Amino acid sequence: MANKVLRKVTHCVFDMDGLLLDTERLYTVATEMILEPYGKAYPFEVKEQVMGLQTEPLARFMVEHYDLPMSWEEYARQQRANTEILMRNAQLMPGAERLLRHLHANKVPFCLATSSGADMVELKTSQHRELFGLFNHKVCGSTDKEVANGKPAPDIFLVAAARFGVPPKASDCLVFEDSPNGVTAANSAGMQVVMVPDPRLSQEKTSHATQVLGSLADFKPEQFGLPAFTD
């Protein structure tokens, strides 16, 4: 991928699943629990199409794609029940805690913009409440009435930026994402995007990000005009 110009930013916006928390692996298990009785597999080629989607469009896609004998509402109910069991012990992704504490210590405003609903965010972050309490605010796409359209639409990132005490320009925001849908949404909002993709994603699916990293631990804040790590 050609080198892209990295512009200075003042605010950061974070996705959650697969970026800050190791939940994508657990979502796969929850989905396989639904599909297994029907003898259906869940390859990554299907998973990458739904990463970052809100509850309803994801459930509708899965029911239609697999021709499942259930409504999207029933699929969502089963997925939620499985997820509630699995997500209670969600672990942080490499580099996540260091970066969040660094931004907080240096008074860089940052927020959460996740497609998950508010109650699921509470569940997934239950082991990390103090850390997630550092966010300026949280926008939970599936339950937030101001987020009219889910990713890959830009709505969630525009709402997230507008809720800072002094709302920044879109060009002053840096989004952290792991999914192609999320990167598309951030681009459409006029924001730069650091992508930490699943290693199975093709380079073609990551080429629209401003910067692609193997882990949040590889992020260098000074490249975007933010205070550098000192440790």
Side-chain angles (χ1 to χ4, degrees):
M1 185 174 69
N3 290 330
K4 297 186 179 180
V5 175
L6 310 182
R7 303 188 312 272
K8 181 178 180 179
V9 298
T10 57
H11 293 62
C12 294
V13 183
F14 289 88
D15 176 46
M16 183 177 71
D17 292 298
L19 178 85
L20 297 176
L21 289 176
D22 185 15
T23 50
E24 287 297 345
R25 174 177 55 84
L26 302 177
Y27 269 123
T28 296
V29 175
T31 302
E32 290 170 343
M33 290 166 68
I34 299 174
L35 297 177
E36 188 176 15
Y38 302 102
K40 299 180 185 293
Y42 186 46
F44 185 72
E45 299 77 62
V46 176
K47 180 180 174 70
E48 67 180 358
Q49 296 181 62
V50 300
M51 288 172 66
L53 295 185
Q54 292 184 9
T55 301
E56 182 177 339
L58 185 153
R60 286 185 181 278
F61 174 90
M62 293 296 288
V63 168
E64 181 178 344
H65 181 81
Y66 284 102
D67 193 24
L68 297 175
M70 65 178 75
S71 64
W72 75 262
E73 291 93 342
E74 173 59 19
Y75 180 94
R77 189 197 66 75
Q78 290 188 28
Q79 175 82 358
R80 180 186 174 83
N82 295 342
T83 301
E84 285 184 348
I85 297 170
L86 295 166
M87 294 293 178
R88 296 186 187 280
N89 296 309
Q91 300 302 302
L92 292 167
M93 294 291 278
E97 181 167 10
R98 179 188 184 222
L99 177 55
L100 294 177
R101 293 198 184 281
H102 172 74
L103 295 175
H104 184 258
N106 286 277
K107 297 181 169 48
V108 176
F110 60 95
C111 69
L112 193 71
T114 173
S115 296
S116 292
D119 49 352
M120 286 305 298
V121 171
E122 283 296 306
L123 178 71
K124 294 172 189 175
T125 62
S126 59
Q127 302 297 316
H128 315 283
R129 293 211 185 281
E130 185 268 335
L131 182 65
F132 278 82
L134 301 180
F135 285 86
N136 185 82
H137 57 278
K138 302 179 181 71
V139 180
C140 307
S142 289
T143 53
D144 194 307
K145 289 181 169 47
E146 284 191 41
V147 181
N149 303 288
K151 302 171 186 177
D155 302 34
I156 192 167
F157 293 124
L158 295 173
V159 169
R163 289 186 185 168
F164 282 110
V166 179
K169 294 185 296 184
S171 58
D172 289 332
C173 294
L174 179 61
V175 173
F176 292 82
E177 263 287 352
D178 69 309
S179 74
N181 282 327
V183 174
T184 299
N187 281 336
S188 297
M191 301 175 184
Q192 294 183 94
V193 202
V194 171
M195 186 182 196
V196 185
D198 186 297
R200 292 170 291 183
L201 270 181
S202 67
Q203 188 172 329
E204 179 189 356
K205 296 282 182 68
T206 68
S207 61
H208 56 322
T210 310
Q211 185 179 71
V212 180
L213 302 176
S215 161
L216 284 176
D218 300 327
F219 179 64
K220 293 181 170 52
E222 65 273 17
Q223 293 181 335
F224 291 90
L226 299 170
F229 288 115
T230 55
D231 54 344

